[in-house]
Amino acid sequence: MTRPITTRSELRAALGGSAPGLVPTMGALHEGHLALIRRSATENERTVVSVFVNPTQFGDPADLARYPRDLDRDTRLAFEAGADLIFAPTVEAIYPRGFATVIEVAGLTDRWEGAARPGHFRGVATVVAILLNLVRPARAYFGEKDYQQLVVVRRLHADLALPGAIVGCPTIRDPHGLALSSRNTRLTAPERAQAVAIPRALCSMRELAGAGERRVDRLLDAGRRELIAAPEATLDYLAIVDPNDLTPLETVQPGARALVAVHLGAIRLIDNVEVLPVTPTHGAGGSGL
Ligand code: AMP
């Protein structure tokens, strides 16, 4: 097990022109990240895991300051899951003195997380472009958990002709259906109990759509009814959107995505699910919710 690499030149030397799999993370690794790393390890000769708490995607300095950091633990877990190299750059290695460029993905970032967190996707798009150019991976792995992020990354990757392929991976959930997130550790026990209303809401919408309901207003009503079971949750948004351009739909089409964001205590949780499969599946469910 080698130490994490922290500079651009060390990274270049370690890669030596090979095109590995890349799993970009902000650390605090959990099973959701490890699933991406395992997948990359099966599909690539070498896997690079980047661990970088990207300051430019945080609006609130306090949120950035309290982001959990434990590089030793992350390094151990990433290697156990099949990583070959950990790239844990300093802020200066990513944003050297005089850094002046930002990447703005227009339109796709106007709504949902983009509206709730101004500047967030500018930071994400900029750091992802830098990481893809530094590592030049054959494949880069992103979770569907952050669905809007995945759509934004696919767009910027295509628009800027960045190297490799973008691979979207399914959301990993706990046994109650709650999508794994480093933010979950900050939920109190009662908040955690209420948080399961989020996957339940998504599940109820998917079941109703599976039973033939196509009207989005009715599906959203069903989702909101489940969220009432979480009295301390305040709903930020619940929507059913086109999976490619993220615009709200009135009628559910195959591939349509339900997006949800909820405030629970001090934590903001997001989740999403495909409401109606693109290709019909047999039996109930399909995404483990
Ligand atoms: P983060 O460290 O939160 O920036 O996440 C790094 C990558 O892991 C992103 O592509 C996320 O979408 C992905 N990810 C985070 N949580 C999960 C999860 N529960 N299931 C699958 N992927 C996830």
Side-chain angles (χ1 to χ4, degrees):
M1 187 167 111
T2 48
R3 299 297 310 157
I5 278 172
T6 58
T7 66
R8 292 181 179 213
S9 54
E10 277 179 289
L11 178 69
R12 216 171 297 125
L15 288 175
S18 64
L22 170 65
V23 181
T25 80
M26 297 206 300
L29 300 186
H30 52 62
E31 278 299 320
H33 302 110
L34 300 181
L36 305 189
I37 298 170
R38 289 190 196 107
R39 168 119 180 236
S40 173
T42 63
E43 295 179 352
N44 301 278
E45 228 161 80
R46 290 218 288 172
T47 289
V48 176
V49 175
S50 62
V51 176
F52 181 62
V53 184
N54 176 33
T56 65
Q57 70 187 67
F58 286 82
D60 175 10
D63 198 21
L64 171 64
R66 78 167 86 88
Y67 203 85
R69 292 161 211 247
D70 187 343
L71 188 55
D72 288 342
R73 177 180 172 277
D74 290 340
T75 302
R76 181 170 48 77
L77 290 176
F79 278 124
E80 280 169 14
D84 299 283
L85 208 150
I86 313 298
F87 181 47
T90 58
V91 173
E92 295 71 33
I94 295 296
Y95 303 112
R97 251 167 77 94
F99 189 94
T101 303
V102 292
I103 292 176
E104 186 86 59
V105 180
L108 286 177
T109 58
D110 289 348
R111 297 175 206 262
W112 322 125
E113 289 309 285
R117 306 176 67 188
H120 170 68
F121 285 119
R122 194 181 308 130
V124 170
T126 304
V127 79
V128 167
I130 294 168
L131 289 170
L132 290 175
N133 270 327
L134 287 175
V135 176
R136 308 198 73 77
R139 294 169 203 82
Y141 296 81
F142 292 86
E144 286 179 358
K145 158 73 172 49
D146 302 283
Y147 188 76
Q148 188 174 12
Q149 170 173 285
L150 175 59
V151 173
V152 166
V153 166
R154 286 195 195 282
R155 183 80 257 160
L156 91 106
H157 174 261
D159 288 355
L160 299 181
L162 292 169
I166 303 299
V167 183
C169 302
T171 301
I172 306 297
R173 300 173 179 282
D174 77 5
H176 306 289
L178 184 63
L180 297 187
S181 163
S182 48
R183 293 177 192 271
N184 295 355
T185 56
R186 286 169 49 214
L187 293 170
T188 63
E191 285 167 355
R192 213 184 167 90
Q194 291 185 39
V196 300
I198 299 168
R200 284 203 188 124
L202 294 174
C203 195
S204 71
M205 292 160 76
R206 199 185 51 199
E207 277 173 11
L208 207 53
E213 180 60 75
R214 293 291 176 273
R215 277 183 52 178
V216 163
D217 56 348
R218 291 192 181 148
L219 294 169
L220 294 179
D221 281 345
R224 282 191 212 104
R225 273 197 299 276
E226 291 291 334
L227 288 169
I228 291 169
E232 284 164 59
T234 32
L235 183 59
D236 188 346
Y237 58 76
L238 177 68
I240 296 181
V241 304
D242 179 289
N244 302 308
D245 68 14
L246 306 177
T247 55
L249 297 171
E250 284 183 7
T251 308
V252 166
Q253 331 277 353
R257 207 90 198 176
L259 307 179
V260 62
V262 158
H263 285 276
L264 201 50
I267 315 298
R268 191 160 177 285
L269 297 172
I270 59 169
D271 200 351
N272 70 88
V273 71
E274 187 180 68
V275 184
L276 195 64
V278 179
T279 47
T281 52
H282 298 287
S287 79
L289 253 178

